Amino acid sequence: MRFSVAARSWHELCPISLAKLIHSRRIVMKFETLVLHSLFAACLLVCVSTLGAMLV
């Protein structure tokens, strides 16, 4: 069973399938998760290097 929703674009109403909308949101969430993991790794690296410099 396919569902569709109407999304307002800059020129008119465009029918978008719900499956396509959910798939695009999943891609965005995967990208956001990757960015957050990268930020965590960078912060951890800065903290460890700062603590290492203090101990030396």
Side-chain angles (χ1 to χ4, degrees):
M1 181 194 277
R2 288 191 70 158
F3 297 99
S4 65
V5 294
R8 183 168 294 281
S9 66
W10 61 274
H11 55 83
E12 63 184 26
L13 286 175
C14 295
I16 299 173
S17 70
L18 189 58
K20 189 175 186 178
L21 187 64
I22 290 173
H23 180 68
S24 66
R25 285 183 182 168
R26 285 184 183 160
I27 290 173
V28 169
M29 289 302 294
K30 286 180 184 179
F31 176 72
E32 289 176 355
T33 302
L34 178 66
V35 169
L36 286 174
H37 284 198
S38 301
L39 179 63
F40 176 75
C43 292
L44 188 64
L45 180 65
V46 168
C47 290
V48 167
S49 63
T50 303
L51 287 174
M54 282 194 251
L55 293 175
V56 171

mmCIF file of all heavy atoms in Angstrom:
data_model
loop_
_atom_site.group_PDB
_atom_site.id
_atom_site.type_symbol
_atom_site.label_atom_id
_atom_site.label_comp_id
_atom_site.label_asym_id
_atom_site.label_seq_id
_atom_site.Cartn_x
_atom_site.Cartn_y
_atom_site.Cartn_z
ATOM 1 N N MET A 1 0.839 -1.171 0.000
ATOM 2 C CA MET A 1 0.000 0.000 0.000
ATOM 3 C C MET A 1 0.891 1.243 0.000
ATOM 4 O O MET A 1 1.799 1.369 0.794
ATOM 5 C CB MET A 1 -0.883 -0.017 1.239
ATOM 6 C CG MET A 1 -1.788 1.173 1.266
ATOM 7 S SD MET A 1 -2.546 1.466 2.792
ATOM 8 C CE MET A 1 -3.822 0.721 3.197
ATOM 9 N N ARG A 2 0.681 2.135 -0.931
ATOM 10 C CA ARG A 2 1.496 3.343 -1.032
ATOM 11 C C ARG A 2 0.717 4.543 -0.531
ATOM 12 O O ARG A 2 -0.447 4.699 -0.827
ATOM 13 C CB ARG A 2 1.894 3.584 -2.472
ATOM 14 C CG ARG A 2 2.932 2.580 -2.932
ATOM 15 C CD ARG A 2 3.466 3.000 -4.227
ATOM 16 N NE ARG A 2 4.288 4.191 -4.034
ATOM 17 C CZ ARG A 2 5.217 4.567 -4.866
ATOM 18 N NH1 ARG A 2 5.446 3.885 -5.931
ATOM 19 N NH2 ARG A 2 5.902 5.648 -4.639
ATOM 20 N N PHE A 3 1.391 5.356 0.228
ATOM 21 C CA PHE A 3 0.812 6.599 0.711
ATOM 22 C C PHE A 3 1.507 7.752 0.003
ATOM 23 O O PHE A 3 2.652 7.642 -0.392
ATOM 24 C CB PHE A 3 1.017 6.743 2.224
ATOM 25 C CG PHE A 3 0.325 5.688 3.023
ATOM 26 C CD1 PHE A 3 1.018 4.586 3.486
ATOM 27 C CD2 PHE A 3 -1.022 5.797 3.307
ATOM 28 C CE1 PHE A 3 0.389 3.621 4.226
ATOM 29 C CE2 PHE A 3 -1.657 4.833 4.049
ATOM 30 C CZ PHE A 3 -0.962 3.741 4.503
ATOM 31 N N SER A 4 0.831 8.824 -0.132
ATOM 32 C CA SER A 4 1.493 10.005 -0.676
ATOM 33 C C SER A 4 1.029 11.222 0.108
ATOM 34 O O SER A 4 -0.081 11.267 0.623
ATOM 35 C CB SER A 4 1.196 10.182 -2.163
ATOM 36 O OG SER A 4 -0.167 10.441 -2.343
ATOM 37 N N VAL A 5 1.925 12.164 0.213
ATOM 38 C CA VAL A 5 1.613 13.421 0.881
ATOM 39 C C VAL A 5 1.912 14.544 -0.092
ATOM 40 O O VAL A 5 2.723 14.402 -0.998
ATOM 41 C CB VAL A 5 2.443 13.609 2.172
ATOM 42 C CG1 VAL A 5 2.058 12.592 3.203
ATOM 43 C CG2 VAL A 5 3.917 13.545 1.885
ATOM 44 N N ALA A 6 1.268 15.630 0.099
ATOM 45 C CA ALA A 6 1.529 16.790 -0.759
ATOM 46 C C ALA A 6 2.434 17.739 -0.016
ATOM 47 O O ALA A 6 2.172 18.108 1.115
ATOM 48 C CB ALA A 6 0.220 17.473 -1.125
ATOM 49 N N ALA A 7 3.506 18.104 -0.653
ATOM 50 C CA ALA A 7 4.447 19.048 -0.053
ATOM 51 C C ALA A 7 4.446 20.313 -0.894
ATOM 52 O O ALA A 7 4.507 20.251 -2.117
ATOM 53 C CB ALA A 7 5.844 18.441 -0.003
ATOM 54 N N ARG A 8 4.387 21.437 -0.243
ATOM 55 C CA ARG A 8 4.361 22.705 -0.970
ATOM 56 C C ARG A 8 5.789 23.078 -1.350
ATOM 57 O O ARG A 8 6.674 23.129 -0.523
ATOM 58 C CB ARG A 8 3.743 23.792 -0.114
ATOM 59 C CG ARG A 8 3.634 25.114 -0.860
ATOM 60 C CD ARG A 8 2.772 26.106 -0.132
ATOM 61 N NE ARG A 8 1.388 25.707 -0.051
ATOM 62 C CZ ARG A 8 0.497 25.821 -1.038
ATOM 63 N NH1 ARG A 8 0.883 26.264 -2.205
ATOM 64 N NH2 ARG A 8 -0.748 25.463 -0.865
ATOM 65 N N SER A 9 5.999 23.269 -2.618
ATOM 66 C CA SER A 9 7.306 23.712 -3.088
ATOM 67 C C SER A 9 7.200 25.164 -3.513
ATOM 68 O O SER A 9 6.169 25.803 -3.343
ATOM 69 C CB SER A 9 7.770 22.831 -4.248
ATOM 70 O OG SER A 9 6.920 23.023 -5.359
ATOM 71 N N TRP A 10 8.231 25.688 -4.100
ATOM 72 C CA TRP A 10 8.235 27.097 -4.458
ATOM 73 C C TRP A 10 7.311 27.401 -5.622
ATOM 74 O O TRP A 10 6.928 28.534 -5.828
ATOM 75 C CB TRP A 10 9.647 27.558 -4.764
ATOM 76 C CG TRP A 10 10.278 26.840 -5.916
ATOM 77 C CD1 TRP A 10 10.956 25.664 -5.852
ATOM 78 C CD2 TRP A 10 10.289 27.239 -7.279
ATOM 79 N NE1 TRP A 10 11.386 25.303 -7.087
ATOM 80 C CE2 TRP A 10 10.995 26.250 -7.987
ATOM 81 C CE3 TRP A 10 9.777 28.321 -7.969
ATOM 82 C CZ2 TRP A 10 11.189 26.325 -9.351
ATOM 83 C CZ3 TRP A 10 9.981 28.386 -9.333
ATOM 84 C CH2 TRP A 10 10.682 27.405 -10.012
ATOM 85 N N HIS A 11 6.918 26.380 -6.396
ATOM 86 C CA HIS A 11 6.092 26.676 -7.558
ATOM 87 C C HIS A 11 4.687 26.094 -7.490
ATOM 88 O O HIS A 11 3.759 26.678 -8.032
ATOM 89 C CB HIS A 11 6.793 26.207 -8.838
ATOM 90 C CG HIS A 11 7.171 24.770 -8.820
ATOM 91 N ND1 HIS A 11 6.316 23.764 -9.135
ATOM 92 C CD2 HIS A 11 8.333 24.174 -8.497
ATOM 93 C CE1 HIS A 11 6.933 22.609 -9.033
ATOM 94 N NE2 HIS A 11 8.152 22.825 -8.639
ATOM 95 N N GLU A 12 4.496 24.970 -6.850
ATOM 96 C CA GLU A 12 3.170 24.346 -6.784
ATOM 97 C C GLU A 12 3.195 23.185 -5.808
ATOM 98 O O GLU A 12 4.222 22.880 -5.232
ATOM 99 C CB GLU A 12 2.734 23.863 -8.163
ATOM 100 C CG GLU A 12 3.651 22.786 -8.716
ATOM 101 C CD GLU A 12 3.265 22.382 -10.129
ATOM 102 O OE1 GLU A 12 2.667 23.167 -10.857
ATOM 103 O OE2 GLU A 12 3.591 21.244 -10.471
ATOM 104 N N LEU A 13 2.069 22.538 -5.637
ATOM 105 C CA LEU A 13 2.030 21.334 -4.803
ATOM 106 C C LEU A 13 2.616 20.168 -5.579
ATOM 107 O O LEU A 13 2.258 19.924 -6.726
ATOM 108 C CB LEU A 13 0.588 21.001 -4.414
ATOM 109 C CG LEU A 13 -0.027 21.905 -3.353
ATOM 110 C CD1 LEU A 13 -1.493 21.536 -3.155
ATOM 111 C CD2 LEU A 13 0.710 21.777 -2.049
ATOM 112 N N CYS A 14 3.522 19.459 -4.945
ATOM 113 C CA CYS A 14 4.160 18.316 -5.589
ATOM 114 C C CYS A 14 3.829 17.064 -4.792
ATOM 115 O O CYS A 14 4.082 17.024 -3.587
ATOM 116 C CB CYS A 14 5.674 18.475 -5.631
ATOM 117 S SG CYS A 14 6.213 19.846 -6.635
ATOM 118 N N PRO A 15 3.284 16.039 -5.422
ATOM 119 C CA PRO A 15 3.049 14.798 -4.685
ATOM 120 C C PRO A 15 4.377 14.071 -4.452
ATOM 121 O O PRO A 15 5.167 13.904 -5.367
ATOM 122 C CB PRO A 15 2.135 14.000 -5.601
ATOM 123 C CG PRO A 15 2.410 14.531 -6.957
ATOM 124 C CD PRO A 15 2.809 15.979 -6.782
ATOM 125 N N ILE A 16 4.613 13.710 -3.223
ATOM 126 C CA ILE A 16 5.834 12.996 -2.852
ATOM 127 C C ILE A 16 5.414 11.711 -2.159
ATOM 128 O O ILE A 16 4.579 11.745 -1.253
ATOM 129 C CB ILE A 16 6.704 13.837 -1.894
ATOM 130 C CG1 ILE A 16 7.123 15.138 -2.555
ATOM 131 C CG2 ILE A 16 7.926 13.059 -1.447
ATOM 132 C CD1 ILE A 16 7.828 16.080 -1.618
ATOM 133 N N SER A 17 5.985 10.595 -2.556
ATOM 134 C CA SER A 17 5.615 9.350 -1.893
ATOM 135 C C SER A 17 6.196 9.340 -0.488
ATOM 136 O O SER A 17 7.284 9.861 -0.234
ATOM 137 C CB SER A 17 6.121 8.142 -2.680
ATOM 138 O OG SER A 17 7.518 8.059 -2.603
ATOM 139 N N LEU A 18 5.461 8.774 0.446
ATOM 140 C CA LEU A 18 5.884 8.751 1.845
ATOM 141 C C LEU A 18 7.173 7.949 2.005
ATOM 142 O O LEU A 18 8.041 8.308 2.795
ATOM 143 C CB LEU A 18 4.765 8.162 2.702
ATOM 144 C CG LEU A 18 4.935 8.263 4.210
ATOM 145 C CD1 LEU A 18 5.088 9.710 4.633
ATOM 146 C CD2 LEU A 18 3.767 7.621 4.917
ATOM 147 N N ALA A 19 7.321 6.884 1.233
ATOM 148 C CA ALA A 19 8.534 6.070 1.320
ATOM 149 C C ALA A 19 9.760 6.877 0.913
ATOM 150 O O ALA A 19 10.812 6.785 1.551
ATOM 151 C CB ALA A 19 8.401 4.842 0.440
ATOM 152 N N LYS A 20 9.624 7.682 -0.110
ATOM 153 C CA LYS A 20 10.744 8.511 -0.556
ATOM 154 C C LYS A 20 11.076 9.573 0.489
ATOM 155 O O LYS A 20 12.239 9.856 0.751
ATOM 156 C CB LYS A 20 10.389 9.165 -1.887
ATOM 157 C CG LYS A 20 11.529 9.875 -2.546
ATOM 158 C CD LYS A 20 11.106 10.374 -3.910
ATOM 159 C CE LYS A 20 12.288 10.959 -4.646
ATOM 160 N NZ LYS A 20 11.920 11.409 -5.991
ATOM 161 N N LEU A 21 10.059 10.150 1.106
ATOM 162 C CA LEU A 21 10.266 11.156 2.148
ATOM 163 C C LEU A 21 10.977 10.549 3.354
ATOM 164 O O LEU A 21 11.911 11.137 3.900
ATOM 165 C CB LEU A 21 8.921 11.752 2.556
ATOM 166 C CG LEU A 21 8.944 12.938 3.504
ATOM 167 C CD1 LEU A 21 9.623 14.127 2.834
ATOM 168 C CD2 LEU A 21 7.540 13.303 3.907
ATOM 169 N N ILE A 22 10.551 9.359 3.775
ATOM 170 C CA ILE A 22 11.187 8.686 4.917
ATOM 171 C C ILE A 22 12.621 8.326 4.584
ATOM 172 O O ILE A 22 13.531 8.487 5.402
ATOM 173 C CB ILE A 22 10.371 7.448 5.327
ATOM 174 C CG1 ILE A 22 9.052 7.894 5.956
ATOM 175 C CG2 ILE A 22 11.152 6.567 6.288
ATOM 176 C CD1 ILE A 22 8.095 6.766 6.247
ATOM 177 N N HIS A 23 12.861 7.861 3.346
ATOM 178 C CA HIS A 23 14.217 7.493 2.937
ATOM 179 C C HIS A 23 15.139 8.712 2.971
ATOM 180 O O HIS A 23 16.273 8.615 3.438
ATOM 181 C CB HIS A 23 14.195 6.877 1.542
ATOM 182 C CG HIS A 23 15.540 6.473 1.044
ATOM 183 N ND1 HIS A 23 16.250 5.435 1.598
ATOM 184 C CD2 HIS A 23 16.327 6.986 0.062
ATOM 185 C CE1 HIS A 23 17.405 5.313 0.974
ATOM 186 N NE2 HIS A 23 17.481 6.249 0.035
ATOM 187 N N SER A 24 14.671 9.857 2.496
ATOM 188 C CA SER A 24 15.511 11.047 2.510
ATOM 189 C C SER A 24 15.787 11.508 3.941
ATOM 190 O O SER A 24 16.863 12.002 4.241
ATOM 191 C CB SER A 24 14.868 12.172 1.697
ATOM 192 O OG SER A 24 13.686 12.607 2.306
ATOM 193 N N ARG A 25 14.811 11.347 4.835
ATOM 194 C CA ARG A 25 15.052 11.710 6.245
ATOM 195 C C ARG A 25 16.075 10.786 6.868
ATOM 196 O O ARG A 25 16.886 11.219 7.692
ATOM 197 C CB ARG A 25 13.744 11.639 7.029
ATOM 198 C CG ARG A 25 12.827 12.787 6.755
ATOM 199 C CD ARG A 25 11.594 12.710 7.598
ATOM 200 N NE ARG A 25 10.675 13.800 7.289
ATOM 201 C CZ ARG A 25 9.442 13.851 7.714
ATOM 202 N NH1 ARG A 25 8.965 12.880 8.468
ATOM 203 N NH2 ARG A 25 8.670 14.854 7.394
ATOM 204 N N ARG A 26 16.060 9.508 6.504
ATOM 205 C CA ARG A 26 17.060 8.577 7.046
ATOM 206 C C ARG A 26 18.455 8.947 6.592
ATOM 207 O O ARG A 26 19.414 8.852 7.358
ATOM 208 C CB ARG A 26 16.730 7.146 6.615
ATOM 209 C CG ARG A 26 15.580 6.564 7.366
ATOM 210 C CD ARG A 26 15.343 5.123 6.989
ATOM 211 N NE ARG A 26 14.172 4.613 7.675
ATOM 212 C CZ ARG A 26 13.493 3.568 7.298
ATOM 213 N NH1 ARG A 26 13.858 2.895 6.231
ATOM 214 N NH2 ARG A 26 12.447 3.161 7.981
ATOM 215 N N ILE A 27 18.585 9.375 5.340
ATOM 216 C CA ILE A 27 19.897 9.792 4.838
ATOM 217 C C ILE A 27 20.382 11.013 5.611
ATOM 218 O O ILE A 27 21.546 11.091 6.000
ATOM 219 C CB ILE A 27 19.833 10.070 3.326
ATOM 220 C CG1 ILE A 27 19.637 8.762 2.574
ATOM 221 C CG2 ILE A 27 21.089 10.783 2.843
ATOM 222 C CD1 ILE A 27 19.396 8.928 1.095
ATOM 223 N N VAL A 28 19.487 11.956 5.862
ATOM 224 C CA VAL A 28 19.854 13.148 6.627
ATOM 225 C C VAL A 28 20.272 12.760 8.037
ATOM 226 O O VAL A 28 21.266 13.270 8.566
ATOM 227 C CB VAL A 28 18.695 14.170 6.644
ATOM 228 C CG1 VAL A 28 18.954 15.270 7.641
ATOM 229 C CG2 VAL A 28 18.479 14.742 5.256
ATOM 230 N N MET A 29 19.538 11.850 8.658
ATOM 231 C CA MET A 29 19.877 11.430 10.021
ATOM 232 C C MET A 29 21.219 10.713 10.050
ATOM 233 O O MET A 29 21.997 10.889 10.991
ATOM 234 C CB MET A 29 18.780 10.525 10.594
ATOM 235 C CG MET A 29 17.506 11.268 10.907
ATOM 236 S SD MET A 29 17.730 12.629 12.071
ATOM 237 C CE MET A 29 18.183 11.750 13.535
ATOM 238 N N LYS A 30 21.524 9.908 9.026
ATOM 239 C CA LYS A 30 22.828 9.246 8.978
ATOM 240 C C LYS A 30 23.940 10.281 8.853
ATOM 241 O O LYS A 30 24.997 10.146 9.471
ATOM 242 C CB LYS A 30 22.886 8.270 7.804
ATOM 243 C CG LYS A 30 22.079 7.022 8.030
ATOM 244 C CD LYS A 30 22.165 6.088 6.842
ATOM 245 C CE LYS A 30 21.281 4.887 7.056
ATOM 246 N NZ LYS A 30 21.331 3.969 5.905
ATOM 247 N N PHE A 31 23.719 11.320 8.051
ATOM 248 C CA PHE A 31 24.720 12.375 7.906
ATOM 249 C C PHE A 31 24.910 13.125 9.219
ATOM 250 O O PHE A 31 26.045 13.398 9.628
ATOM 251 C CB PHE A 31 24.293 13.342 6.793
ATOM 252 C CG PHE A 31 25.216 14.510 6.633
ATOM 253 C CD1 PHE A 31 26.477 14.341 6.088
ATOM 254 C CD2 PHE A 31 24.829 15.771 7.044
ATOM 255 C CE1 PHE A 31 27.332 15.418 5.951
ATOM 256 C CE2 PHE A 31 25.682 16.856 6.914
ATOM 257 C CZ PHE A 31 26.934 16.666 6.361
ATOM 258 N N GLU A 32 23.803 13.446 9.904
ATOM 259 C CA GLU A 32 23.904 14.147 11.179
ATOM 260 C C GLU A 32 24.623 13.291 12.216
ATOM 261 O O GLU A 32 25.424 13.797 12.999
ATOM 262 C CB GLU A 32 22.523 14.534 11.678
ATOM 263 C CG GLU A 32 21.883 15.644 10.876
ATOM 264 C CD GLU A 32 20.469 15.956 11.335
ATOM 265 O OE1 GLU A 32 19.946 15.245 12.208
ATOM 266 O OE2 GLU A 32 19.897 16.917 10.811
ATOM 267 N N THR A 33 24.361 12.001 12.223
ATOM 268 C CA THR A 33 25.041 11.096 13.150
ATOM 269 C C THR A 33 26.531 11.059 12.854
ATOM 270 O O THR A 33 27.357 11.085 13.780
ATOM 271 C CB THR A 33 24.442 9.685 13.043
ATOM 272 O OG1 THR A 33 23.048 9.769 13.320
ATOM 273 C CG2 THR A 33 25.088 8.727 14.014
ATOM 274 N N LEU A 34 26.888 11.025 11.583
ATOM 275 C CA LEU A 34 28.304 11.032 11.205
ATOM 276 C C LEU A 34 28.983 12.327 11.655
ATOM 277 O O LEU A 34 30.102 12.304 12.182
ATOM 278 C CB LEU A 34 28.434 10.872 9.686
ATOM 279 C CG LEU A 34 29.849 10.912 9.125
ATOM 280 C CD1 LEU A 34 30.642 9.709 9.620
ATOM 281 C CD2 LEU A 34 29.810 10.946 7.616
ATOM 282 N N VAL A 35 28.300 13.447 11.485
ATOM 283 C CA VAL A 35 28.863 14.734 11.914
ATOM 284 C C VAL A 35 29.040 14.760 13.428
ATOM 285 O O VAL A 35 30.080 15.212 13.930
ATOM 286 C CB VAL A 35 27.967 15.895 11.429
ATOM 287 C CG1 VAL A 35 28.376 17.201 12.083
ATOM 288 C CG2 VAL A 35 28.016 16.018 9.922
ATOM 289 N N LEU A 36 28.057 14.273 14.167
ATOM 290 C CA LEU A 36 28.166 14.267 15.631
ATOM 291 C C LEU A 36 29.283 13.341 16.103
ATOM 292 O O LEU A 36 30.010 13.678 17.047
ATOM 293 C CB LEU A 36 26.834 13.858 16.256
ATOM 294 C CG LEU A 36 25.743 14.922 16.197
ATOM 295 C CD1 LEU A 36 24.438 14.345 16.725
ATOM 296 C CD2 LEU A 36 26.136 16.142 17.001
ATOM 297 N N HIS A 37 29.436 12.198 15.468
ATOM 298 C CA HIS A 37 30.525 11.292 15.844
ATOM 299 C C HIS A 37 31.878 11.924 15.542
ATOM 300 O O HIS A 37 32.823 11.787 16.330
ATOM 301 C CB HIS A 37 30.385 9.964 15.109
ATOM 302 C CG HIS A 37 29.313 9.094 15.668
ATOM 303 N ND1 HIS A 37 29.248 7.745 15.420
ATOM 304 C CD2 HIS A 37 28.249 9.353 16.461
ATOM 305 C CE1 HIS A 37 28.213 7.218 16.030
ATOM 306 N NE2 HIS A 37 27.584 8.198 16.664
ATOM 307 N N SER A 38 31.978 12.616 14.415
ATOM 308 C CA SER A 38 33.231 13.296 14.070
ATOM 309 C C SER A 38 33.542 14.404 15.068
ATOM 310 O O SER A 38 34.697 14.583 15.470
ATOM 311 C CB SER A 38 33.148 13.875 12.661
ATOM 312 O OG SER A 38 32.894 12.859 11.731
ATOM 313 N N LEU A 39 32.514 15.158 15.471
ATOM 314 C CA LEU A 39 32.704 16.210 16.464
ATOM 315 C C LEU A 39 33.161 15.629 17.795
ATOM 316 O O LEU A 39 34.066 16.163 18.447
ATOM 317 C CB LEU A 39 31.415 17.003 16.649
ATOM 318 C CG LEU A 39 31.439 18.121 17.682
ATOM 319 C CD1 LEU A 39 32.438 19.192 17.270
ATOM 320 C CD2 LEU A 39 30.064 18.706 17.869
ATOM 321 N N PHE A 40 32.561 14.516 18.204
ATOM 322 C CA PHE A 40 32.961 13.868 19.449
ATOM 323 C C PHE A 40 34.415 13.420 19.379
ATOM 324 O O PHE A 40 35.187 13.631 20.332
ATOM 325 C CB PHE A 40 32.052 12.672 19.740
ATOM 326 C CG PHE A 40 32.459 11.897 20.946
ATOM 327 C CD1 PHE A 40 32.219 12.394 22.216
ATOM 328 C CD2 PHE A 40 33.092 10.662 20.822
ATOM 329 C CE1 PHE A 40 32.600 11.680 23.340
ATOM 330 C CE2 PHE A 40 33.464 9.946 21.935
ATOM 331 C CZ PHE A 40 33.224 10.457 23.199
ATOM 332 N N ALA A 41 34.813 12.825 18.266
ATOM 333 C CA ALA A 41 36.199 12.363 18.118
ATOM 334 C C ALA A 41 37.168 13.541 18.144
ATOM 335 O O ALA A 41 38.238 13.466 18.777
ATOM 336 C CB ALA A 41 36.341 11.578 16.813
ATOM 337 N N ALA A 42 36.810 14.650 17.491
ATOM 338 C CA ALA A 42 37.687 15.827 17.486
ATOM 339 C C ALA A 42 37.815 16.418 18.892
ATOM 340 O O ALA A 42 38.916 16.788 19.322
ATOM 341 C CB ALA A 42 37.152 16.868 16.508
ATOM 342 N N CYS A 43 36.704 16.512 19.611
ATOM 343 C CA CYS A 43 36.747 17.040 20.987
ATOM 344 C C CYS A 43 37.561 16.141 21.900
ATOM 345 O O CYS A 43 38.336 16.619 22.740
ATOM 346 C CB CYS A 43 35.332 17.207 21.530
ATOM 347 S SG CYS A 43 34.393 18.508 20.722
ATOM 348 N N LEU A 44 37.394 14.846 21.747
ATOM 349 C CA LEU A 44 38.160 13.898 22.550
ATOM 350 C C LEU A 44 39.651 14.020 22.258
ATOM 351 O O LEU A 44 40.484 14.010 23.179
ATOM 352 C CB LEU A 44 37.673 12.473 22.275
ATOM 353 C CG LEU A 44 38.236 11.370 23.156
ATOM 354 C CD1 LEU A 44 37.813 11.593 24.605
ATOM 355 C CD2 LEU A 44 37.763 10.020 22.674
ATOM 356 N N LEU A 45 39.994 14.183 20.992
ATOM 357 C CA LEU A 45 41.397 14.342 20.610
ATOM 358 C C LEU A 45 41.987 15.618 21.207
ATOM 359 O O LEU A 45 43.110 15.609 21.729
ATOM 360 C CB LEU A 45 41.529 14.359 19.086
ATOM 361 C CG LEU A 45 42.932 14.506 18.526
ATOM 362 C CD1 LEU A 45 43.769 13.282 18.891
ATOM 363 C CD2 LEU A 45 42.869 14.686 17.030
ATOM 364 N N VAL A 46 41.249 16.705 21.185
ATOM 365 C CA VAL A 46 41.724 17.961 21.760
ATOM 366 C C VAL A 46 41.900 17.827 23.271
ATOM 367 O O VAL A 46 42.913 18.272 23.830
ATOM 368 C CB VAL A 46 40.755 19.117 21.417
ATOM 369 C CG1 VAL A 46 41.067 20.357 22.243
ATOM 370 C CG2 VAL A 46 40.812 19.432 19.936
ATOM 371 N N CYS A 47 40.937 17.197 23.938
ATOM 372 C CA CYS A 47 41.041 17.017 25.395
ATOM 373 C C CYS A 47 42.224 16.139 25.772
ATOM 374 O O CYS A 47 42.972 16.455 26.711
ATOM 375 C CB CYS A 47 39.750 16.421 25.943
ATOM 376 S SG CYS A 47 38.362 17.549 25.891
ATOM 377 N N VAL A 48 42.416 15.047 25.063
ATOM 378 C CA VAL A 48 43.532 14.142 25.373
ATOM 379 C C VAL A 48 44.866 14.831 25.105
ATOM 380 O O VAL A 48 45.804 14.714 25.905
ATOM 381 C CB VAL A 48 43.391 12.834 24.553
ATOM 382 C CG1 VAL A 48 44.663 12.011 24.585
ATOM 383 C CG2 VAL A 48 42.218 12.021 25.068
ATOM 384 N N SER A 49 44.957 15.567 24.006
ATOM 385 C CA SER A 49 46.214 16.253 23.728
ATOM 386 C C SER A 49 46.501 17.365 24.745
ATOM 387 O O SER A 49 47.641 17.591 25.139
ATOM 388 C CB SER A 49 46.232 16.822 22.306
ATOM 389 O OG SER A 49 45.232 17.792 22.159
ATOM 390 N N THR A 50 45.449 18.046 25.218
ATOM 391 C CA THR A 50 45.623 19.083 26.241
ATOM 392 C C THR A 50 46.077 18.458 27.563
ATOM 393 O O THR A 50 47.009 18.958 28.207
ATOM 394 C CB THR A 50 44.322 19.856 26.444
ATOM 395 O OG1 THR A 50 43.910 20.416 25.208
ATOM 396 C CG2 THR A 50 44.485 20.954 27.477
ATOM 397 N N LEU A 51 45.430 17.383 27.953
ATOM 398 C CA LEU A 51 45.844 16.704 29.190
ATOM 399 C C LEU A 51 47.252 16.132 29.058
ATOM 400 O O LEU A 51 48.035 16.167 30.018
ATOM 401 C CB LEU A 51 44.852 15.599 29.539
ATOM 402 C CG LEU A 51 43.502 16.061 30.060
ATOM 403 C CD1 LEU A 51 42.560 14.868 30.224
ATOM 404 C CD2 LEU A 51 43.659 16.793 31.369
ATOM 405 N N GLY A 52 47.575 15.602 27.909
ATOM 406 C CA GLY A 52 48.928 15.077 27.677
ATOM 407 C C GLY A 52 49.969 16.181 27.770
ATOM 408 O O GLY A 52 51.064 15.976 28.314
ATOM 409 N N ALA A 53 49.662 17.355 27.246
ATOM 410 C CA ALA A 53 50.611 18.483 27.317
ATOM 411 C C ALA A 53 50.783 18.961 28.735
ATOM 412 O O ALA A 53 51.871 19.403 29.134
ATOM 413 C CB ALA A 53 50.120 19.614 26.419
ATOM 414 N N MET A 54 49.738 18.880 29.545
ATOM 415 C CA MET A 54 49.847 19.301 30.949
ATOM 416 C C MET A 54 50.685 18.331 31.767
ATOM 417 O O MET A 54 51.357 18.740 32.711
ATOM 418 C CB MET A 54 48.453 19.408 31.573
ATOM 419 C CG MET A 54 47.700 20.649 31.196
ATOM 420 S SD MET A 54 46.286 20.866 32.273
ATOM 421 C CE MET A 54 44.988 20.503 31.156
ATOM 422 N N LEU A 55 50.636 17.071 31.425
ATOM 423 C CA LEU A 55 51.363 16.066 32.201
ATOM 424 C C LEU A 55 52.834 15.991 31.814
ATOM 425 O O LEU A 55 53.642 15.460 32.581
ATOM 426 C CB LEU A 55 50.725 14.687 32.015
ATOM 427 C CG LEU A 55 49.323 14.556 32.604
ATOM 428 C CD1 LEU A 55 48.736 13.191 32.247
ATOM 429 C CD2 LEU A 55 49.354 14.736 34.109
ATOM 430 N N VAL A 56 53.197 16.485 30.679
ATOM 431 C CA VAL A 56 54.602 16.403 30.227
ATOM 432 C C VAL A 56 55.416 17.530 30.769
ATOM 433 O O VAL A 56 55.098 18.576 31.094
ATOM 434 C CB VAL A 56 54.680 16.388 28.681
ATOM 435 C CG1 VAL A 56 56.107 16.520 28.200
ATOM 436 C CG2 VAL A 56 54.058 15.111 28.159
#
